[in-house]
């Protein structure tokens, strides 16, 4: 420390000046306390000696507080030169009254040095002799920190300048500074980016807006990473990966530093890698062979085909052991030896019977290779191919070869394999055919087979020059045996080569000498036959005429059939149209003919039909057409009629004539016709419409009581439409659960106790209401729907009887229609219904009408016996209305007969009816058959029937039919 001393330096320490000495004691104490407690060193010098300092100053220099007093300032400097150099700086400044402020190196008492900051000022600029005050601060740590900061800045600058990645400092989304690599990355010159907004770096401002999310993470102290498409100065784009972190997470406003890499090439390489991987995966997924990568005999990775081959679910094969592919542990262990081969770089291949997950086996071709030879840890790659079909094909080929050999040995024709017209192989039959020994023909030219050299050359020219591979050539030549005899041989060859220079053929040879001789004899016979043919030609012409007649006529009656009817009716309509006249069509059906046919037999029915046809022909004009179109149906065409009354007269005459009795086989039969009439053009303008409308009118005639005629009216059309609608509704009723079963009680005559119920079907139509059986059962019978309805009623009745309790012993009675009874599956249906519902067979009673039982008595008897064998009861319904005889009644296994309500209705008032009912009861009882009376509605009827000995009663007097729930209430 130097004081300005223009007149020299005093060596002695002077006492404080008067201004100091004159201070008050209190002020002096404050001054001393301040000097003692400040954290900086303070010293006062005069004449270059210390005359006052605080403790901090002394401690800084390693002296005691009192030791420095009086010491020259030179002791505090490292050298005299340092002391003198400071003097040269300080003296001019202090003498001028200015403040000295600099950093300088001082020396401690122990000789060590330190850097400090010194601030000095003369106590009195006008009189520097009064001394100088020095304020000293040890800045060694600060200087060290500053040096460290400078070093770090130099290192940072070196990093920024030499780093291969871009480094960027951003504050408030503006570029503060960046390194040269970052500028080059974006195509900017040195310093061009400093101060620029970060928007200049983005190709799309939307990406810049999204980047704001990253700064939120930076503010939380997290590292942000963004992979984005950026824009260079020239407008081109490139991919970057930027990792950023806040300079100070506690103060986000201090900005962020970003490390940026150009990953365009990396991205391209990754895309190419992904493409390669995708192609590899596509290859794995689509190849027709299974591929698996294994390590330590465990599956590491495989394709879907591998999983399919071995029955693994997707992904389930990974991690599985190769043991699962083998049937036995022994097989698995035996294959471990191949891994040494694989490790040596060799490829292993084999075919083996392997196991699927479900235990099934298949033939598999396996090929394996080490991923890296000599390094088993890298694993192996295996290919698996299902060759089951190929293996089976090989077996078939081997079997075919064996079969071919067997065919050659046992064929009844000669067979030879020929190459370039030389025999390679032949069967024994060919050798025998030409008289050669075993093997003698092999290697010989095929010329040895021909009768002459010329024939052999000609055969070769025809076959070998004109036949393509795969085609065949047929011919016939004269062959020569070894004994010189000649025979006719039929040859058939197939070229089997692929089209090369060497032709390969397989030939078959057949000795047809006997055939040729037979042909000669046949030709001679043909000549004789031609003569016979000429004689038969006339006979054939006659037969042809008869055949043509039969094609258009009914074989039974000789009348025109439907085919001829349509032709003649069409001609009649065309004529009536030209002449503006009418043509009438009559549709004739014989009433109750079916009963006669069924009861008396078809021979009687056929004789009756012939008689009817003859009577029709006699009653009609020449030019009228009478046709039989089937069964008991006839159609009459009356062309060019003037009035409808004329047609009516013809109809009356036909009814009168056909109603006369007919004597057949000593039986007098009476049959009446029902006739429907349609007239052209009022009732139709084509044959089909007229026939259909006449048919409708005929049905109306039957409804009007039969044995009459009716002209077609539109109302009949409506009736036919209603009938079709009813049929359609009935078909739908089956599927829509519209049918119901009602049950009517059957009581014992004497006690009045209920012993059974009869199941009666009803139709609950949503539009028609509850429809009774009289309205739809006949239609169901005609259309065949009765089979489904009957089966459903049978099941429902059995189910209901089981429901009310089989232990009560109450029978349920079910009616069988004629079509049901004649159904071949009836017995099986009844047995199944009993089995499915659990109803005891004795509680089911089946009712058939008397007329049904009498149609085909032998068949009916067989069916009844089969039903009876099931254990069910049989009742004969409508008894007294049919043609049954006592003999048939005795043969039929009938348990009950039901007296028709037509007889019951008039008792006891009608004596005749009374006698009939009493006779039926007596007859039945004589045959040990129970009797049920139907339609009992009054007490008088009940009393009469009871007196006659009738067993059971059924009718409104005992109870009306009610629905299933109501009928079951009494038993629940």
């Amino acid at each position: 420390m130097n004081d300005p001393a223009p007149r020299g330096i005093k060596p002695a320490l002077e006492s404080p000046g008067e201004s100091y000495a004159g201070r008050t004691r209190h002020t002096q104490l404050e001054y001393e306390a301040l000097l003692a407690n400040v954290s900086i060193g303070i010293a006062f010098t005069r004449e270059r000696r210390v005359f006052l300092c605080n403790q901090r100053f002394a401690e800084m220099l390693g002296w005691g507080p009192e030791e420095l007093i009086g010491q020259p300032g030179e002791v505090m400097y490292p050298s005299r030169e340092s002391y003198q150099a400071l003097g040269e700086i300080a003296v001019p400044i202090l003498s001028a009254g200015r403040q000295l402020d600099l950093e300088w190196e001082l020396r401690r008492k122990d000789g060590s040095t330190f850097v400090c900051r010194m601030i000095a000022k003369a106590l009195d600029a006008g009189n520097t002799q009064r001394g100088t005050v020095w304020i000293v601060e040890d800045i060694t740590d600060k200087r060290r920190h500053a040096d460290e900061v400078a070093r770090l800045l130099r290192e940072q600058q070196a990093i920024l300048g030499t780093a291969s990645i871009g480094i960027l400092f951003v504050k408030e989304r503006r570029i503060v500074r960046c390194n040269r690599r970052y500028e080059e990355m974006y195509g900017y010159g040195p310093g061009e980016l400093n101060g620029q907004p970060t928007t200049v770096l983005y190709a799309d401002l939307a990406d810049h807006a999204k980047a704001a999310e990253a700064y939120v993470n930076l503010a939380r102290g997290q590292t942000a990473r963004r992979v984005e498409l950026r824009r260079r100065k020239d407008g081109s784009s490139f991919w970057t990966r930027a990792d950023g972190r806040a300079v100070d997470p506690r103060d986000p406003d201090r900005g962020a530093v970003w490390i940026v890499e150009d990953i365009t090439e990396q991205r391209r390489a990754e895309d190419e890698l992904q493409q390669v991987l995708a192609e590899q995966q596509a290859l794995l997924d689509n190849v027709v062979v299974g591929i698996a990568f294994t390590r330590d005999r465990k599956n590491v990775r495989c394709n879907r085909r591998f999983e399919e081959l071995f029955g693994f679910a997707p992904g389930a094969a990974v991690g599985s052991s190769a043991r699962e592919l083998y049937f036995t542990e022994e097989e698995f262990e035996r294959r471990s030896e191949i891994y040494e081969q694989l490790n040596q770089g060799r490829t292993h291949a084999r075919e083996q019977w392997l196991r699927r997950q479900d235990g099934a086996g298949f033939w598999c071709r396996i090929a394996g290779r080490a991923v890296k030879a000599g390094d088993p840890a890298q694993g192996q790659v295996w290919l698996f191919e299902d060759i089951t079909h190929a293996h089976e094909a090989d077996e078939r080929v081997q079997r075919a070869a064996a079969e071919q050999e067997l065919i050659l040995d046992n064929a009844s024709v000669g067979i030879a394999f020929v190459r370039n017209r030389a025999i390679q192989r032949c069967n024994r039959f060919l050798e025998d055919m030409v008289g050669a020994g075993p093997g003698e023909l092999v290697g010989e030219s095929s010329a040895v087979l021909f009768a002459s050299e010329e024939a052999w050359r000609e055969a070769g020219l025809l076959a070998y020059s004109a036949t393509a591979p795969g085609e065949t050539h047929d011919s016939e030549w004269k062959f020569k045996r070894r004994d010189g005899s000649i025979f006719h041989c039929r040859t058939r060859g197939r070229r089997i080569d692929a089209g090369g220079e060497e032709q390969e053929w397989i030939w078959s040879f057949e000795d047809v000498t006997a055939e040729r001789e037979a042909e000669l004899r046949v030709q001679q016979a043909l000549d004789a036959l031609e003569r016979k043919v000429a004689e038969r030609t006339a006979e054939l012409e006659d037969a042809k005429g008869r055949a043509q007649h039969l094609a258009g006529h009914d074989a039974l009656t000789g009348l025109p059939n439907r085919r001829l009817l349509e032709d003649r009716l069409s001609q009649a309509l065309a004529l009536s149209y030209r002449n503006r006249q009418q043509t009438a069509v009559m549709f004739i059906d014989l009433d109750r003919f079916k009963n006669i046919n069924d009861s008396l037999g078809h021979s009687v029915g056929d004789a009756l039909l012939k008689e009817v046809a003859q009577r029709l022909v006699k009653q009609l004009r020449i030019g009228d057409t009478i046709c039989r179109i089937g069964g008991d149906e006839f159609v009459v065409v009356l062309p060019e009629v003037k009035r409808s009354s004329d047609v009516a007269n013809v109809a009356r005459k036909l009814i009168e004539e056909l109603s006369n009795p007919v004597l057949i086989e000593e039986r007098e039969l009476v049959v009446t016709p029902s006739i429907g009439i349609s007239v052209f053009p009022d009732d139709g303008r084509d044959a089909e419409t007229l026939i259909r409308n006449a048919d409708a009118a005929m049905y109306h005639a039957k409804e009007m009581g039969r044995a009459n005629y009716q002209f077609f009216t539109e109302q009949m059309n409506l009736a036919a439409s209603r009938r079709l609608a009813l049929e359609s509704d009935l078909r739908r009723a089956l599927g829509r659960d519209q049918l119901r079963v009602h049950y009517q009680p059957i009581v014992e005559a004497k006690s009045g106790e209920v012993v059974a119920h009869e199941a009666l079907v009803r139709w609950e139509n949503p539009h028609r209401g509850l429809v009774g059986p009289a309205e739809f059962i006949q239609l169901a019978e005609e259309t065949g729907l009765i089979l489904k309805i009957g089966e459903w009623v049978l099941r429902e009745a059995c189910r209901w009887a089981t429901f009310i309790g089989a232990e009560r012993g109450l029978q349920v009675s079910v009616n069988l229609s004629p079509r049901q009874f004649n159904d071949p599956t009836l017995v099986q249906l009844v047995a199944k219904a009993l089995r499915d519902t659990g109803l005891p067979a004795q509680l089911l009673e089946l009712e058939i009408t008397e007329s049904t039982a009498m149609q085909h008595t032998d068949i009916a008897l067989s069916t009844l016996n089969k039903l009876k064998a099931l254990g069910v009861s049989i009742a004969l319904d409508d008894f007294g209305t049919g043609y049954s005889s006592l003999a048939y009644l005795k043969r039929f296994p009938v348990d009950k007969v039901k007296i028709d309500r037509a007889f019951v209705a008039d008792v006891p008032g009608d004596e005749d009816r009374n006698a009939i009912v009493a006779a039926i009861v007596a007859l039945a009882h004589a045959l040990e058959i129970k009797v049920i009376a139907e339609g009992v509605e009054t007490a008088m009827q009940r009393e009469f029937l009871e007196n006659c000995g009738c067993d059971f009663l059924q009718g409104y007097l005992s109870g009306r039919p009610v629905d299933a729930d109501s009928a079951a209430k009494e038993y629940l």
Side-chain angles (χ1 to χ4, degrees):
M1 297 179 183
N2 296 312
D3 291 320
R7 291 187 295 270
I9 299 176
K10 295 181 178 182
L13 177 65
E14 298 179 2
S15 61
E18 293 176 0
S19 60
Y20 180 78
R23 292 179 181 178
T24 65
R25 180 64 180 167
H26 179 72
T27 303
Q28 185 175 355
L29 291 174
E30 290 178 346
Y31 186 65
E32 289 176 355
L34 175 65
L35 290 176
N37 291 288
V38 293
S39 61
I40 56 176
I42 301 174
F44 293 90
T45 62
R46 185 181 294 153
E47 295 180 356
R48 298 197 175 189
R49 287 182 181 273
V50 178
F51 73 89
L52 182 65
C53 70
N54 67 352
Q55 186 169 344
R56 174 61 183 151
F57 184 84
E59 290 174 350
M60 245 188 270
L61 293 167
W63 297 77
E66 302 298 329
E67 285 184 293
L68 272 177
I69 303 301
Q71 290 290 340
E74 186 177 344
V75 301
M76 294 178 285
Y77 292 89
S79 63
R80 173 174 290 276
E81 290 77 12
S82 173
Y83 177 69
Q84 291 175 348
L86 178 63
E88 292 174 0
I89 297 170
V91 170
I93 294 173
L94 296 175
S95 298
R98 300 199 309 274
Q99 178 177 294
L100 174 69
D101 189 349
L102 52 67
E103 294 179 359
W104 206 262
E105 186 177 28
L106 295 182
R107 185 181 67 183
R108 297 186 181 91
K109 182 180 180 180
D110 61 5
S112 61
T113 61
F114 66 98
V115 179
C116 65
R117 181 185 178 190
M118 295 190 296
I119 301 174
K121 193 167 183 178
L123 293 176
D124 185 353
N127 183 12
T128 58
Q129 293 299 319
R130 297 188 63 181
T132 304
V133 59
W134 297 85
I135 298 173
V136 180
E137 181 182 6
D138 186 348
I139 63 170
T140 302
D141 290 338
K142 287 185 180 180
R143 187 67 174 268
R144 187 181 300 112
H145 177 70
D147 290 345
E148 182 67 19
V149 169
R151 183 183 63 78
L152 290 174
L153 287 174
R154 287 193 301 274
E155 291 176 356
Q156 183 186 77
Q157 195 60 39
I159 291 171
L160 291 174
T162 61
S164 61
I165 56 175
I167 302 174
L168 170 72
F169 295 91
V170 176
K171 185 176 182 181
E172 295 177 354
R173 304 199 75 176
R174 282 187 174 274
I175 300 170
V176 177
R177 61 195 175 95
C178 61
N179 67 345
R180 183 63 193 136
R181 173 60 187 145
Y182 189 82
E183 292 170 334
E184 292 171 350
M185 205 180 291
Y186 284 86
Y188 286 91
E192 274 192 89
L193 283 174
N194 293 345
Q196 292 283 349
T198 54
T199 54
V200 302
L201 308 177
Y202 287 84
D204 187 348
L205 291 180
D207 292 337
H208 180 264
K210 292 178 183 176
E213 300 171 0
Y215 289 91
V216 176
N217 295 332
L218 296 180
R220 295 173 182 161
Q222 300 173 355
T223 299
R225 168 167 284 194
R226 295 185 62 80
V227 176
E228 297 173 314
L229 194 65
R230 296 294 184 90
R231 181 181 65 189
R232 295 189 180 93
K233 182 178 180 181
D234 60 7
S236 61
S237 299
F238 68 105
W239 283 96
T240 65
R241 179 174 59 238
D243 294 289
R245 192 174 182 87
V247 173
D248 186 354
R250 295 168 298 180
D251 185 7
D253 293 337
R254 294 188 65 182
V257 59
W258 292 89
I259 307 299
V260 183
E261 292 180 79
D262 183 347
I263 62 169
T264 303
E265 291 302 322
Q266 179 183 341
R267 186 68 175 257
R268 184 180 297 110
E270 288 177 354
D271 290 344
E272 291 174 355
L273 176 60
Q274 291 300 321
Q275 177 67 24
V276 170
L277 291 176
E279 290 173 355
Q280 185 187 59
Q281 191 61 44
L283 177 64
L284 288 175
D285 291 341
N286 292 285
V287 291
V288 296
V289 296
I291 301 175
F293 297 88
T294 64
R295 190 178 297 123
D296 297 328
R297 303 194 77 179
K298 289 186 179 293
N299 196 326
V300 177
R301 185 160 62 99
C302 65
N303 66 348
R304 182 63 190 132
R305 179 56 182 158
F306 176 86
E307 295 171 332
E308 292 171 349
L309 281 177
F310 290 95
F312 286 99
V318 175
S320 65
S321 170
R323 171 65 182 85
E324 298 184 35
L325 310 183
Y326 297 89
F327 283 94
T328 65
E329 186 71 27
E330 181 185 356
E331 287 181 278
F332 174 68
E333 293 298 335
R334 188 169 67 249
R335 294 303 175 185
S336 62
E337 62 191 26
I338 65 176
Y339 287 88
E340 183 60 34
Q341 302 174 16
L342 299 179
N343 194 38
Q344 295 172 4
R346 301 201 313 236
T347 298
H348 171 76
R350 72 178 188 275
E351 294 179 0
Q352 187 171 353
W353 181 254
L354 293 183
R355 178 183 179 277
R356 292 192 173 96
Q357 289 293 294
D358 61 3
F362 70 103
W363 279 103
C364 186
R365 180 179 292 123
I366 310 167
R369 190 178 180 87
V371 173
K372 184 177 180 181
D375 186 1
Q378 296 294 324
Q380 301 82 30
V381 59
W382 296 92
L383 302 183
F384 300 86
E385 183 182 359
D386 186 347
I387 60 168
T388 303
H389 293 306
H391 205 274
E392 291 172 351
D394 289 342
E395 290 180 349
R396 287 196 297 271
V397 168
Q398 294 173 8
R399 189 165 56 251
E403 290 172 353
Q404 185 186 76
E405 195 64 35
L406 190 62
I407 290 170
L408 286 174
D409 292 341
N410 295 279
S412 59
V413 296
I415 300 174
F417 293 89
V418 177
R419 180 185 297 125
N420 287 340
R421 307 202 72 182
I423 299 172
Q424 306 298 311
R425 186 157 60 101
C426 68
N427 66 347
R428 184 61 192 147
F429 193 92
L430 178 62
E431 292 170 336
D432 291 341
M433 187 185 297
V434 298
E440 285 186 13
L441 293 178
V442 175
E444 293 281 348
S445 169
S446 58
V448 300
L449 304 176
F450 286 80
S452 65
E453 187 78 17
E454 292 77 11
W456 177 73
R457 283 196 294 271
E458 185 181 354
L461 184 64
L462 292 174
Y464 284 75
S465 61
T467 307
E471 292 183 354
T472 59
H473 176 76
D474 294 305
S475 188
E476 188 174 313
W477 300 93
K478 287 183 179 181
F479 273 27
K480 179 179 62 178
R481 298 187 181 93
R482 287 297 173 97
D483 61 6
S485 61
I486 305 297
F487 65 97
H488 290 276
C489 186
R490 180 187 296 130
T491 63
R492 181 179 181 84
R494 183 180 184 87
R495 185 175 174 184
I496 59 174
D497 63 89
E501 293 183 1
E502 293 188 350
Q503 290 194 20
E504 296 182 19
W505 289 71
I506 179 171
W507 289 92
S508 65
F509 306 92
E510 185 179 1
D511 186 345
V512 292
T513 304
E515 229 178 277
R516 292 294 163 262
E517 293 173 352
E519 285 178 0
L520 179 60
R521 291 193 297 271
V522 167
Q523 186 59 46
Q524 294 170 349
L526 283 176
D527 295 338
L529 181 61
E530 286 181 2
R531 292 190 297 270
K532 293 288 186 180
V533 168
E535 295 171 0
R536 289 287 295 169
T537 301
E539 297 177 9
L540 291 175
E541 289 296 328
D542 293 341
K544 181 178 178 182
R546 288 194 299 272
Q548 289 175 346
H549 177 80
L550 289 174
H553 291 77
D554 175 44
L556 178 64
T557 62
L559 296 177
N561 58 14
R562 181 182 287 273
R563 176 183 174 187
L564 192 54
L565 166 66
E566 293 175 354
D567 180 59
R568 291 192 180 179
L569 181 53
S570 297
Q571 293 178 17
L573 295 180
L575 184 63
S576 294
Y577 180 78
R578 287 196 299 272
N579 298 335
R580 297 182 179 275
Q581 290 185 331
Q582 296 179 329
T583 290
V585 175
M586 290 183 176
F587 201 107
I588 303 172
D589 185 89
L590 302 181
D591 302 327
R592 299 186 179 89
F593 173 78
K594 189 173 186 298
N595 291 337
I596 296 174
N597 199 45
D598 292 342
S599 60
L600 301 180
H602 292 291
S603 61
V604 174
D606 290 348
L608 179 59
L609 290 173
K610 290 180 181 179
E611 178 62 27
V612 169
Q614 292 174 6
R615 292 184 182 186
L616 287 173
V617 172
K618 290 177 181 178
Q619 291 298 318
L620 297 175
R621 306 170 298 175
I622 296 175
D624 296 340
T625 298
I626 308 122
C627 304
R628 180 180 176 232
I629 62 173
D632 59 344
E633 295 177 337
F634 298 85
V635 172
V636 175
V637 179
L638 304 176
E640 295 189 278
V641 295
K642 296 179 180 179
R643 295 176 297 275
S644 296
S645 59
D646 296 339
V647 180
N649 289 333
V650 174
R652 281 192 292 271
K653 286 168 56 180
L654 292 177
I655 293 172
E656 181 181 350
E657 179 65 24
L658 296 181
S659 299
N660 291 327
V662 180
L663 186 64
I664 299 176
E665 295 183 359
E666 298 182 356
R667 286 189 180 92
E668 190 176 80
L669 304 177
V670 177
V671 65
T672 59
S674 293
I675 301 176
I677 304 170
S678 62
V679 180
F680 170 86
D682 298 336
D683 300 330
R685 294 181 172 270
D686 58 82
E688 182 181 352
T689 303
L690 288 168
I691 294 172
R692 184 178 65 248
N693 290 343
D695 187 19
M698 181 273 294
Y699 275 106
H700 185 60
K702 285 186 176 292
E703 292 172 0
M704 297 300 292
R706 295 183 172 86
N708 69 91
Y709 66 88
Q710 295 290 328
F711 281 90
F712 174 77
T713 64
E714 191 58 38
Q715 286 73 17
M716 295 177 190
N717 229 349
L718 294 174
S721 298
R722 283 196 298 271
R723 187 173 184 275
L724 287 174
L726 183 65
E727 179 183 345
S728 178
D729 288 348
L730 184 57
R731 289 185 185 277
R732 286 193 290 268
L734 287 168
R736 296 181 180 178
D737 195 26
Q738 294 177 2
L739 297 181
R740 301 288 182 267
V741 179
H742 285 203
Y743 297 90
Q744 186 175 28
I746 300 173
V747 300
E748 191 174 35
K750 291 181 179 180
S751 65
E753 181 183 352
V754 176
V755 295
H757 295 81
E758 182 176 3
L760 302 168
V761 67
R762 299 288 187 268
W763 177 10
E764 196 172 272
N765 188 285
H767 305 294
R768 305 172 191 270
L770 192 63
V771 183
E775 297 185 46
F776 66 88
I777 287 298
Q778 183 59 36
L779 177 63
E781 182 77 14
E782 294 173 0
T783 58
L785 292 174
I786 194 66
L787 294 176
K788 290 186 179 179
I789 294 174
E791 181 181 353
W792 179 83
V793 171
L794 176 64
R795 286 183 171 276
E796 286 297 308
C798 292
R799 190 177 294 114
W800 182 84
T802 306
F803 173 70
I804 66 172
E807 69 278 1
R808 301 179 188 279
L810 297 178
Q811 277 191 332
V812 64
S813 182
V814 178
N815 289 281
L816 297 179
S817 74
R819 182 169 285 199
Q820 276 183 280
F821 184 72
N822 293 321
D823 182 9
T825 64
L826 173 63
V827 178
Q828 290 88 336
L829 288 176
V830 173
K832 190 174 188 301
L834 292 171
R835 185 171 60 252
D836 292 348
T837 60
L839 181 69
Q842 66 270 21
L843 296 186
L844 174 62
E845 184 171 84
L846 300 176
E847 295 185 17
I848 62 170
T849 63
E850 183 183 10
S851 58
T852 300
M854 294 304 299
Q855 282 185 0
H856 303 286
T857 53
D858 292 339
I859 297 175
L861 180 60
S862 174
T863 302
L864 290 173
N865 284 330
K866 291 176 182 176
L867 291 172
K868 194 64 180 171
L870 295 177
V872 302
S873 179
I874 305 295
L876 206 57
D877 198 9
D878 298 341
F879 190 75
T881 61
Y883 297 89
S884 61
S885 66
L886 180 60
Y888 283 124
L889 193 58
K890 287 174 64 178
R891 292 175 60 194
F892 289 156
V894 175
D895 297 288
K896 297 172 186 172
V897 294
K898 300 185 77 170
I899 303 174
D900 187 77
R901 66 181 61 248
F903 299 109
V904 176
D906 296 331
V907 298
D910 189 321
E911 293 295 332
D912 293 337
R913 298 293 186 181
N914 294 347
I916 293 173
V917 170
I920 292 175
V921 173
L923 174 64
H925 284 173
L927 297 173
E928 298 182 350
I929 297 174
K930 300 289 186 180
V931 179
I932 303 174
E934 293 184 298
V936 181
E937 299 181 358
T938 68
M940 293 177 64
Q941 291 173 339
R942 180 182 62 190
E943 183 179 356
F944 171 79
L945 292 166
E946 185 179 344
N947 291 334
C948 286
C950 187
D951 301 288
F952 306 105
L953 305 178
Q954 180 180 355
Y956 287 173
L957 184 64
S958 304
R960 292 176 176 270
V962 294
D963 61 80
D965 291 340
S966 300
K969 283 181 180 178
E970 297 182 22
Y971 308 105
L972 301 179

